[in-house]
Amino acid sequence: QAYTETIVDAATKAKYYSAKNVRAKKEKLVQSIAALIRECEQKQEELQKRLLVNIREFEKHGLSRNYAMLLQNQRDLLLQHVEATLDGEPDADVSALRNAAAELDKQLRVVVTSLRGNGSRGRLEWAFAMLGVGMTIPLGEAESV
């Protein structure tokens, strides 16, 4: 009669269970991170939609023909002011102006990303907005712009 006995010492057994537990912990961690990423992406999409609604409301009240153009013009004006100040006074502190321009640039990127990301209609709407024309412009006039 053949007799086989598998002998596993306590140290090997402990290493096996430790590795098994670490792998399970890592898998749970990866799953929770993936769920958090999905949740953040959904929140970002929701915020983009709300931003677009607010921009349209802003534009509807005639406060600006185009919010993205308003942000772009404000940023450009600040940058021109920085250049003019530095040309006249090389040691002038324009850090506040630069910070404001950087904030406007961030806002502009968010608005442009939201407008572009709204499906094909959003990209078309964004293109019309950047050209500064309405969505109802005839094709011939749009090509001449």
Side-chain angles (χ1 to χ4, degrees), residues 89-100:
E89 303 171 39
D91 58 340
D93 182 19
V94 292
S95 60
L97 293 173
R98 284 191 174 137
N99 290 341

Side-chain angles (χ1 to χ4, degrees), residues 37-107:
I37 289 172
R38 282 191 302 275
E39 183 180 312
C40 288
E41 286 172 344
Q42 289 172 348
K43 182 72 173 173
Q44 183 179 13
E45 190 175 315
E46 176 189 323
L47 289 172
Q48 280 184 339
K49 288 177 183 177
R50 285 184 23 210
L51 175 65
L52 284 175
V53 167
N54 290 335
I55 289 170
R56 294 298 170 250
E57 189 70 22
F58 183 84
E59 292 173 348
K60 185 169 67 174
H61 289 295
L63 299 173
S64 172
R65 182 179 57 148
N66 178 303
Y67 188 67
M69 292 289 281
L70 174 72
L71 291 175
Q72 187 174 346
N73 289 336
Q74 286 178 339
R75 182 202 58 200
D76 292 345
L77 180 68
L78 283 172
L79 292 176
Q80 286 175 354
H81 189 61
V82 167
E83 287 178 23
T85 302
L86 290 177
D87 286 344
E89 303 171 39
D91 58 340
D93 182 19
V94 292
S95 60
L97 293 173
R98 284 191 174 137
N99 290 341
E103 283 301 314
L104 284 170
D105 196 48
K106 286 180 192 175
Q107 291 174 13

